[in-house]
Amino acid sequence: MARKYEGTIEKILQLSALAAILVVFLISLFILIEGYPVIAKYGLGHFLLGGQWYPLDGLFGIMPMIIGSFIVTFGALLLGVPFGIGCAIFLAEFAPMWMTKVLRPGIELLAGIPSVVYGFFGLVVLVPLIMDTFGGRGFSVLAASVVLAIMILPTVINISEDAIRAVPREYKEGSFALGATHWQTVKMVILPTAQSGIVASIVLGMGRAIGETMAVIMVAGNVTAIPGSFLDPVRTLTANIALEMGYAAGDHMSALFATGIVLFVIIMFLNFLITLVPKRVIDQ
Amino acid sequence: MRKSVVWEERLVKGFLWFSVLATLGTLIIILGHIFQHGLSLISLEFLLDSPRKMGREGGIFPSIIGTLYLIAVALIIAAPVGIFAAIYLTEYTRKGRIVRAIRYSVETLAGIPSIVFGLFGFAFFVIFLGFSWSILSGGLTLAAMVLPTIIRTSEEAIKSVPTIYREGSLALGATKWQTIYKIVLPSALPGIVTGIILSIGRAVGETAAVLLSAGSSLNLPTSVMDPARSLAVHLFILTSEGISFKMGYATATVLIIMILIINLAANFIMRRMSTTRAI
């Protein structure tokens, strides 16, 4: 009888669901095990606050990379978020039907293009363009920020648009009935109501920018010094790991895993921030 | 209406149109640039030939096979586990501490940067389990990466199956699992398949994690224990080491065409699902 197997099947399903927890646990465990030795040996202060990264001389300071990651991400948000929110407002409120039909597959494609392809495009188009326009070598904070800005657009657009669409019709109708124009309604009623979702989209975009590796490596120049201007080269945390994993050993490899721990903690913190954003203000 | 209001309205609309056109323009410039330099290089010979001189000449056949192999391993693991997990989360329990922990883990997995997955794949599969740089290590790492996508899309698909379907089946005397297997899953199938297709897209484009777990060998892989260089990794090595931009354009074109096909397939299935559901 089929009934006999019901219990077994439920157990199998439950185990599959628990796999998600197991994977997160294993990832945390193995990165900690591999990264901890170098932190224990040299101290957390040396590692996090040190300004010098010379693995062969036992200097493992990742401060320049932490700053690099945040500068590049900040630049990406500065360039990408206004356009992203603009597109989201347009799609949810103003877009004519034909425009939505063009725009939506376009955004899906933008989200699907592999990061190496963005990096390659940055390398062959953006870097020479920056070199010709502003001087320098082109491999720079600016190049990395522009590439990342393009890459976070789909995240910001999709989540902001959902948030704007979730605003109840009555709010909009009420505002129209009071004689407000469409934009006044968007500005005074819709955007404030959708605020928490829009903030969440920015935080998620930030997570994507901090975590991006290949596209950044190809255009950022990867010098381990704190950049003085947006035309200076920069190395991010992710780039630090990917560039040196190929040949690292011993303390050096452990330091790369420790870089991974820092990255992991930053992402967990961002995830935690998103849980603080109230899910739906409207329900209250 | 006051003049300032009219002007503000015009200015804002101008900016909104500008953001949209800038976004589409960027996409068109990127695709146009890569296709312009790459399309003419694509030939059957390029697709079916082995690379020579580090990839400066020849084709990308081993990388195509390697990519397909990696996707296959990732899906064989992640698809059943992800779909089962989604069934459990939607049909069996929706509340409780364990469910919350599972959901939080899924969120976390979705946010972890690919390079961290790469570190994990290297430490766990390559070294600890002794699989070395291989399709198996790379595929398992990719499975962990796409698991949240499969769980979330399957959950959405299962949730959208109307409750009446389940009630009808249960009323006929079917057990819970029979109902799920015979009624719920077939109705949710298009949504689940869409999730799997999207996962394939992610696996095709992934570079950092694959580089650290599957290696970058240019040889044609013949078993899952062989190392492999996926198309994305191949493009990265060709261009970042300055081996050949020409071959880089050709490889990038192949990658973009693959993503185009994947997106079209996902959209096609989604559209069919929404029309059948409307009846």
Side-chain angles (χ1 to χ4, degrees), chain A residues 1-3 6 9-10 12-24 26-28 30-31 34 82-87 89-91 94 96 98-99 102-103 105-110 112-118 120-121 123-125 150 153 157 181-184 187 207 210-214 217-218 237-238 241-243 245-246 253 256-257 259-261 263-264 267-268 271-272 275, chain B residues 1-2 5 8-9 12-13 15-24 26-27 29-31 33-34 80-89 92-93 98 101-102 104-109 111-117 119-120 122-124 127-128 133 144 147 151 173-178 180 201 204-208 211-212 232-233 235-236 239-240 245 248-249 252 255-256 259-260 263 267:
Chain A
M1 263 307 283
R3 237 164 262 281
E6 291 286 309
I9 287 167
E10 186 171 344
I12 294 173
L13 297 177
Q14 190 180 27
L15 283 177
S16 302
L18 290 174
I21 301 183
L22 180 72
V23 174
V24 172
L26 284 176
I27 292 176
S28 324
F30 272 84
I31 291 173
E34 298 288 332
F83 288 110
I85 296 178
C87 283
I89 296 174
F90 186 83
L91 267 172
F94 297 97
W98 64 271
M99 199 68 206
V102 179
L103 203 50
I107 293 165
E108 274 169 29
L109 193 55
L110 217 47
I113 294 178
S115 56
V116 257
V117 175
Y118 283 110
F120 179 44
F121 176 78
L123 182 69
V124 289
V125 175
I150 301 169
L153 270 177
I157 295 174
T181 64
H182 199 166
W183 166 243
Q184 283 173 330
K187 185 172 72 170
I210 288 184
E212 179 47 46
T213 314
M214 290 336 214
I217 288 185
M218 294 166 84
L237 290 165
T238 51
I241 302 171
L243 284 167
M245 260 317 269
M253 184 187 277
L256 297 180
F257 273 93
T259 312
I261 299 176
L263 206 55
F264 190 72
I267 295 292
M268 290 293 271
N271 275 2
F272 170 71
T275 60
Chain B
M1 220 180 289
R2 272 186 292 137
V5 175
E8 192 183 323
E9 192 103 2
V12 166
K13 280 212 177 134
F15 172 73
L16 294 183
W17 272 98
F18 178 67
S19 349
V20 171
L21 294 179
T23 302
L24 282 180
T26 309
L27 178 69
I29 290 172
I30 294 175
L31 294 186
H33 179 85
I34 299 219
V81 172
I83 296 168
F84 286 170
I87 297 173
Y88 184 73
L89 289 171
Y92 285 84
T93 81
I98 295 178
I102 293 170
Y104 188 73
S105 304
V106 175
E107 296 293 314
T108 308
L109 269 186
I112 293 177
S114 57
I115 188 75
V116 175
F117 276 103
L119 286 176
F120 163 69
F122 176 75
F124 187 61
I127 303 293
F128 184 75
W133 279 303
L147 190 61
I151 293 180
T175 64
K176 185 160 188 167
W177 174 246
Q178 283 171 332
I180 292 168
V204 167
E206 184 45 47
T207 315
L211 181 62
L212 294 191
V233 172
L235 170 58
F236 175 70
T239 54
S240 68
F245 277 11
Y249 278 116
L255 272 172
I256 292 178
I259 295 295
L260 270 172
N263 278 11
N267 275 335

Side-chain angles (χ1 to χ4, degrees), chain A residues 188-224:
Chain A
M188 305 289 199
V189 178
I190 294 176
L191 289 185
T193 317
Q195 199 181 22
S196 59
I198 294 174
V199 171
S201 81
I202 297 172
V203 178
L204 279 171
M206 193 176 167
R208 176 132 200 236
I210 288 184
E212 179 47 46
T213 314
M214 290 336 214
V216 174
I217 288 185
M218 294 166 84
V219 299
N222 306 316
V223 173
T224 58

Side-chain angles (χ1 to χ4, degrees), chain B residues 166-223:
Chain B
R166 296 181 183 82
E167 287 165 352
S169 166
L170 292 171
L172 289 169
T175 64
K176 185 160 188 167
W177 174 246
Q178 283 171 332
T179 303
I180 292 168
Y181 185 69
K182 296 231 166 93
I183 306 294
V184 178
L185 285 185
S187 319
L189 197 63
I192 294 174
V193 173
T194 309
I196 291 175
I197 294 175
L198 291 176
S199 309
I200 295 177
R202 186 147 184 223
V204 167
E206 184 45 47
T207 315
V210 175
L211 181 62
L212 294 191
S213 56
S216 57
S217 158
L218 268 174
N219 295 330
L220 183 69
T222 51
S223 88

Side-chain angles (χ1 to χ4, degrees), chain A residues 122-207:
Chain A
L123 182 69
V124 289
V125 175
L126 222 52
V127 167
L129 187 72
I130 290 172
M131 193 166 71
D132 292 343
T133 318
F134 299 103
R137 290 187 51 238
F139 294 96
S140 56
V141 174
L142 181 63
S145 291
V146 172
V147 169
L148 286 176
I150 301 169
M151 295 181 71
I152 64 169
L153 270 177
T155 311
V156 176
I157 295 174
N158 287 333
I159 296 167
S160 294
E161 192 199 340
D162 283 347
I164 294 170
R165 281 191 191 277
V167 175
R169 275 182 71 94
E170 294 82 12
Y171 287 29
K172 205 168 142 183
E173 286 163 357
S175 169
F176 281 152
L178 289 170
T181 64
H182 199 166
W183 166 243
Q184 283 173 330
T185 305
V186 170
K187 185 172 72 170
M188 305 289 199
V189 178
I190 294 176
L191 289 185
T193 317
Q195 199 181 22
S196 59
I198 294 174
V199 171
S201 81
I202 297 172
V203 178
L204 279 171
M206 193 176 167

